[in-house]
Amino acid sequence: MSAKIKAVVLHEKGGQLVVEEVDKPTPKPQPNADVPGEQGDLLVKIKTVALNPVDWKQAEIGFFIDGYPVVLGSDAAGIVEAVGNGVTGFSVGDEVMAYTKLGVPGGYGAFSQYALFEAASTFKKPPHLSWEEAASIPVGSLTAALGLYHNLNLPLPTENPSFFREEFILIWGGSSSVGSYAVQLAANTGLTVITTASPKNHDYLRSLGAAHVLDYNAPDIVDQINSITKNNLKYALDVVSSESSNIALKVLSQNGKLAWVAGPPTDKKEGVQETSVLLGECHRDPKGSLKTLNRLLKVVEQLLIEGRIRPNNVEVIEGGVDAIPDGLQKLKKGVSAKKLVVKFD
Ligand SMILES: NC(=O)c1ccc[n+]([C@@H]2O[C@H](COP(=O)([O-])OP(=O)(O)OC[C@H]3O[C@@H](n4cnc5c(N)ncnc54)[C@H](OP(=O)(O)O)[C@@H]3O)[C@@H](O)[C@H]2O)c1
């Protein structure tokens, strides 16, 4: 009989999140050679989990859920307890953090005392980061990296940092978790970053490398952006909503590119390419986006080790698995420039 562990379980779409006992998962014995990029599983004892909007949205709306009951949770950090047969690059005792498979039953949900991390979406935790900071990294940084380096096809900061010195990028929603990583990554690529946030977060965003920080509530925001770019803006990443994607469309040049994370533009602009960023697809796409994700993960990992990007500010919630349902309600009410992280033990 397998050992029992505590986890946050969802039994049906829109149902209550309940803390109960589930079977301790076991890592898949060997990599699935049919899936490009798949490297097999690690069993990880969880130390911290970060809460993401997708977690409460999944519970309420039921998207990206392959079956019930399911343990949700997408961001976690912990210590490797077992390594799937054939998995290379990881050992028992490694300190790691990961973006876990969204809504896949069978031990992949992070809201649990033990979870399976797919090796391809697992980072080695840089030793200078705390467990709380580590959990805040995977979903936010990987979404930002996909948007910039896959959707917008910008050069990697590890390849040619000064390539785009004269080029602007608009990152709408810079103080969000995804936005804070996007600002840092884009600045590392060498772009001149224009971003938006509430005035209380402007100094924080300048400290992350933004050149221009604007109040998104300013009635003349479009004019302010146009005056900075002199009507020449090729790149925009929107992490907030359809409404802000529409504003991004307005300020992009005709040959511009918009990547949106949280809502498509409802307007159109001739000549502008728009593309949707979907981190959740990466574990589901048999054509190999997990391979792309793994390549970007290595870039983010290197930048973290070199201290060229830093984690989100975190607010720590004590209480382990039991504290997660209330933590998600707190996140749903809204946070500003911080990640909520639940600490285990
Ligand atoms: N497509 C994907 O693959 C993917 C992946 C990850 C996340 N997401 C989605 O992306 C969105 C962002 O996620 P997150 O975790 O980064 O969010 P978050 O950290 O919870 O976002 C909170 C931040 O949003 C900012 N904000 C709110 N309204 C704004 C506006 N009108 N303009 C500019 N900034 C605004 C706030 O800024 P101030 O406090 O400065 O006002 C606050 O700092 C969510 O909808 C999430 O579900 C999608």
Side-chain angles (χ1 to χ4, degrees), residues 166-179:
E166 303 302 318
E167 207 68 76
F168 292 101
I169 184 168
L170 171 65
I171 293 167
W172 193 285
S175 63
S176 67
S177 170
V178 177

Side-chain angles (χ1 to χ4, degrees), residues 189-207:
T189 282
L191 290 138
T192 300
V193 176
I194 305 168
T195 193
T196 61
S198 292
K200 65 178 179 193
N201 292 323
H202 285 195
D203 283 347
Y204 168 60
L205 285 163
R206 283 189 203 99
S207 79

Side-chain angles (χ1 to χ4, degrees), residues 273-288:
Q273 285 178 42
E274 50 122 323
T275 141
S276 135
V277 183
L278 252 189
L279 181 67
E281 277 288 312
C282 291
H283 280 119
R284 293 160 186 274
D285 168 20
K287 290 192 222 98

Side-chain angles (χ1 to χ4, degrees), residues 12 44 65 77 104 144 153 164 178 226 235 239 250 252 268 274 306:
E12 57 183 350
V44 176
I65 295 183
V104 179
N153 204 20
F164 268 128
V178 177
N226 284 338
Y235 302 104
V239 304
K250 262 194 199 129
L252 275 164
K268 290 270 166 256
E274 50 122 323
E306 291 170 359

